[in-house]
Amino acid sequence: HIGFHICPQNIISFYRLIQSFPAVKLHLTGAVMRATEVEFDKAKEHLKTLKNDPGNDTKLRIYALFKQATQGSCSSPKPGMLDFVNKAKWEAWNSLGNISKEDARQKYVDLVGTLISSEAPIQKEATTAGDPKSSYQTLQVTTENNITTILLNRPEKKNAISRKMYEEIMQALEQAGKDDSVLTVMTGSGDYYCSGNDLSNFTQVGAEGVEKLARDSGELLTRYVSHFIDFPKPLIAVVNGPAVGIAVTGLGLFDVVYATDRATFHAPFSQLGQSPEGCSSYTFPKMMGTAKANEILLFNKKLTAAQACDLGLVTEVFPDNTFQQEVWKKLRAYAKLPKDSLRYSKQLIRGMEKEKLHAVNAQECVRLQERWLSEECMNAIMSFFQNKSKL
Ligand SMILES: CCC/C=C/C(=O)SCCNC(=O)CCNC(=O)[C@H](O)C(C)(C)COP(=O)([O-])OP(=O)([O-])OC[C@H]1O[C@@H](n2cnc3c(N)ncnc32)[C@H](O)[C@@H]1OP(=O)([O-])[O-]
């Protein structure tokens, strides 16, 4: 039995403790509450269930309290200057001075309780975002094992990107950029990764005419591509099937691209009377050389996954029957790497090119606004909807 003074801070800790350990009975005697050895053991077990790394300072504090609670005050000699880890541990333990084992035990239980309960709202948020009933209509967004996954979810339209989906992808990227996950993954539901721009976006002409539609589409596309240029942490494409148009060109802005051997990569811009976007007029020639890029961006060459990998557009190709299993195993391992180190490394690599990419994006969108008003483009879209032309 140890002293636990009822002050506002301790009352908060007390409630957190109750929330975290519903099965634990706390012994209250008047104004004094005492943590038992059973509670201490339970806290040890609960600590193992922490999902997020609490950081080095907190880990050192936990270590020190544990040592003090089990062995009493620190009496071992201070480790040498170069023994960084043991020196830091020793200093943390030594800093507790002469506090009693019981006090340390209570502080340990409090600290673990606070850590566990501070994770509760984060997990709830992630579950809500992943709930199919969440606010997204065209996506499913989930966070698990430090990975936020943005699933394009219009399988009946081969995940074609409608206006709503453009907006929702931007929203999901903004959220993923800020959340606690280490990696962000984009993938598709059903047999396609994505069939590119939803061609019906071009048929929704309002009262203000096609010029306004082209201007709005240009503005939407500029914002959309900018979200990929500026995305702050590693972004991975899990290409689960064929990819078309902007779903191919945008891959140059991902950090890693994994593809099933069933995937194909097709950017049929001239066939559609359009021109390249997603910064591909810059990233593709840079990545694969101008001669190879031109076959894809000018002459509509459809690539197999193996060809895309040889050209540097895809990082690795997996057999379709083991694709999901192999890729997710790899990603789960990557997601255990230090979050900030990954984020800053990605930003360094991207930082070299950011300005250039924004300039390319702006130019591509200006050209596309002109293309969308061209007869070549209008004929191609009419032809698709009259079922005369499929890719
Ligand atoms: C803005 C920035 C510039 C961007 C440029 C690009 O991305 S350029 C690249 C632009 N992309 C293209 O040009 C691709 C055009 N799409 C195709 O050529 C073919 O659909 C396919 C080869 C992707 C799949 O052929 P398949 O025989 O396996 O399947 P299916 O045809 O039966 O499709 C099932 C349903 O999905 C529908 N749907 C699919 N994709 C789109 C779409 N993008 N749009 C609208 N709808 C689309 C399709 O109409 C059908 O609807 P329904 O009749 O059930 O109501």
Side-chain angles (χ1 to χ4, degrees):
H1 285 213
I2 53 143
F4 187 97
H5 304 291
I6 302 292
C7 67
Q9 262 180 340
N10 283 349
I11 287 173
I12 291 165
S13 300
F14 172 73
Y15 279 111
R16 282 186 175 144
L17 213 59
I18 297 277
Q19 277 175 338
S20 312
F21 308 110
V24 173
K25 285 197 184 110
L26 294 165
H27 302 270
L28 293 168
T29 50
V32 177
M33 187 174 77
R34 296 158 197 281
T36 64
E37 300 236 0
V38 177
E39 289 154 18
F40 182 67
D41 288 342
K42 288 217 175 200
K44 271 193 297 182
E45 287 310 306
H46 277 89
L47 190 59
K48 294 180 196 154
T49 68
L50 263 192
K51 291 225 164 19
N52 301 312
D53 187 329
N56 281 343
D57 287 349
T58 307
K59 281 194 284 197
L60 283 171
R61 172 102 181 136
I62 293 170
Y63 165 83
L65 288 169
F66 182 84
K67 294 293 268 186
Q68 191 91 4
T70 52
Q71 295 178 27
S73 297
C74 176
S75 58
S76 53
K78 185 173 181 175
M81 286 263 291
L82 296 176
D83 190 356
F84 301 112
V85 174
N86 285 321
K87 189 164 144 284
K89 285 162 124 181
W90 184 91
E91 279 165 355
W93 183 11
N94 193 51
S95 73
L96 295 178
N98 289 328
I99 71 166
S100 69
K101 281 185 171 182
E102 290 76 12
D103 261 358
R105 193 165 68 196
Q106 180 66 59
K107 284 184 196 301
Y108 179 93
V109 169
D110 279 354
L111 179 55
V112 174
T114 307
L115 290 173
I116 297 280
S117 57
S118 73
E119 280 198 339
I122 292 164
Q123 284 165 17
K124 199 167 160 232
E125 218 170 73
T127 318
T128 310
D131 182 352
K133 292 187 213 96
S134 76
S135 56
Y136 292 112
Q137 289 171 22
T138 64
L139 309 175
Q140 251 185 50
V141 182
T142 46
T143 301
E144 210 180 330
N145 298 316
N146 288 337
I147 304 173
T148 291
T149 304
I150 301 172
L151 178 77
L152 309 176
N153 198 23
R154 297 180 76 214
E156 70 292 350
K157 295 284 180 192
K158 310 291 183 194
N159 300 319
I161 312 181
S162 60
R163 285 176 174 278
K164 179 83 185 161
M165 197 192 260
Y166 279 112
E167 294 291 352
E168 290 194 343
I169 292 173
M170 287 189 270
Q171 194 187 332
L173 286 172
E174 278 167 29
Q175 282 179 356
K178 285 187 234 146
D179 73 15
D180 278 339
S181 64
V182 174
L183 306 178
T184 301
V185 170
M186 187 172 286
T187 190
S189 71
D191 58 342
Y192 260 66
Y193 172 63
C194 173
S195 63
N197 187 44
D198 188 318
L199 295 174
S200 70
N201 291 339
F202 294 124
T203 60
Q204 296 152 13
V205 186
E208 289 160 283
V210 282
E211 283 81 7
K212 170 85 164 63
L213 178 66
R215 265 201 313 280
D216 288 351
S217 304
E219 186 272 333
L220 178 69
L221 187 62
T222 313
R223 273 196 299 126
Y224 178 76
V225 174
S226 293
H227 275 72
F228 287 85
I229 298 172
D230 292 334
F231 192 69
K233 43 172 100 157
L235 182 62
I236 289 135
V238 172
V239 183
N240 56 299
V244 183
I246 192 166
V248 174
T249 52
L251 291 176
L253 298 173
F254 282 72
D255 301 297
V256 166
V257 178
Y258 293 133
T260 160
D261 60 8
R262 204 173 51 77
T264 51
F265 299 82
H266 194 187
F269 300 119
S270 51
Q271 196 174 327
L272 290 167
Q274 298 185 37
S275 52
E277 81 305 80
C279 297
S280 59
S281 58
Y282 174 70
T283 56
F284 278 33
K286 187 173 170 242
M287 177 192 299
M288 56 187 79
T290 313
K292 297 285 184 193
N294 284 343
E295 271 202 308
I296 300 162
L297 297 177
L298 302 186
F299 300 124
N300 313 303
K301 180 177 177 178
K302 190 196 274 190
L303 302 175
T304 63
Q307 288 169 329
C309 193
D310 288 345
L311 292 174
L313 181 61
V314 165
T315 312
E316 195 174 344
V317 180
F318 299 83
D320 194 52
N321 58 347
T322 55
F323 175 61
Q324 296 290 347
Q325 192 190 336
E326 287 192 61
V327 165
W328 286 102
K329 185 172 167 210
K330 212 181 245 289
L331 292 175
R332 278 194 291 272
Y334 290 166
K336 289 185 181 144
L337 291 167
K339 181 175 144 195
D340 288 342
S341 171
L342 282 177
R343 202 159 52 94
Y344 290 130
S345 301
K346 187 233 158 109
Q347 287 175 17
L348 273 174
I349 297 164
R350 177 56 50 89
M352 307 294 162
E353 301 250 74
K354 235 182 193 180
E355 230 176 283
K356 175 81 185 166
L357 290 169
H358 280 299
V360 171
N361 181 26
Q363 267 180 24
E364 287 178 343
C365 291
V366 168
R367 174 53 59 208
L368 270 169
Q369 281 183 55
E370 174 274 324
R371 290 286 72 212
W372 290 327
L373 296 172
S374 72
E375 211 177 306
E376 289 176 343
C377 179
M378 288 184 190
N379 286 342
I381 290 161
M382 264 163 42
S383 208
F384 173 74
F385 284 108
Q386 287 164 358
N387 242 341
K388 279 198 265 171
S389 73
K390 251 184 207 185
L391 295 173

